[in-house]
Amino acid sequence: MASQGVETLDFDETRIPAGGEAGGWAECGLIDSIGHSLQGELVHQLKSEIEKVADRVVSLLDSGWRRVRVVTDHGWLLLPDGLPKVELPAYLTETKWASLCGCQRII
């Protein structure tokens, strides 16, 4: 990112932007790691984690950043009994064994 002119901020760093056109990058929150460790119990921590993200956005705007876009790399499916599983009959698949990509192709 630095080679493209993107300013990177440390996890808790807040500073005035240098003015580069490429913008900046800052990470915050622990939603992903908490979700992996707590699984369905994540819902009890979610409000405080979202408040941390909102506080980070406000602090960046207050320090001079003109715009902040919040992005995530994935979402969560929180189902109390887990995801339902459906077994495909062998005649509906090319192979019952996972291919290199871990997928099954339906014919």
Side-chain angles (χ1 to χ4, degrees):
M1 288 191 293
S3 67
Q4 298 296 313
V6 176
E7 294 181 56
T8 56
L9 282 72
D10 290 334
F11 196 78
D12 59 351
E13 182 182 13
T14 303
R15 62 176 161 80
I16 299 170
E21 292 298 315
W25 178 267
E27 294 188 21
C28 68
L30 299 172
I31 296 171
D32 185 57
S33 60
I34 291 173
H36 283 288
S37 64
L38 297 180
Q39 298 292 312
E41 296 299 310
L42 170 65
V43 296
H44 302 295
Q45 299 294 322
L46 207 48
K47 181 179 179 187
S48 66
E49 285 302 306
I50 291 173
E51 287 171 350
K52 289 177 190 175
V53 173
D55 290 344
R56 180 76 161 135
V57 169
V58 169
S59 69
L60 290 168
L61 292 170
D62 287 347
S63 70
W65 293 88
R66 292 181 297 171
R67 182 177 62 156
V68 175
R69 180 180 300 162
V70 177
V71 296
T72 181
D73 61 344
H74 64 77
W76 282 92
L77 292 175
L78 297 173
L79 300 174
D81 298 321
L83 289 171
K85 181 178 178 183
V86 176
E87 287 290 332
L88 288 177
Y91 67 87
L92 289 178
T93 64
E94 186 175 311
T95 175
K96 285 274 294 190
W97 306 107
S99 65
L100 291 176
C101 71
C103 305
Q104 291 183 345
R105 192 170 83 194
I106 298 175
I107 349 182

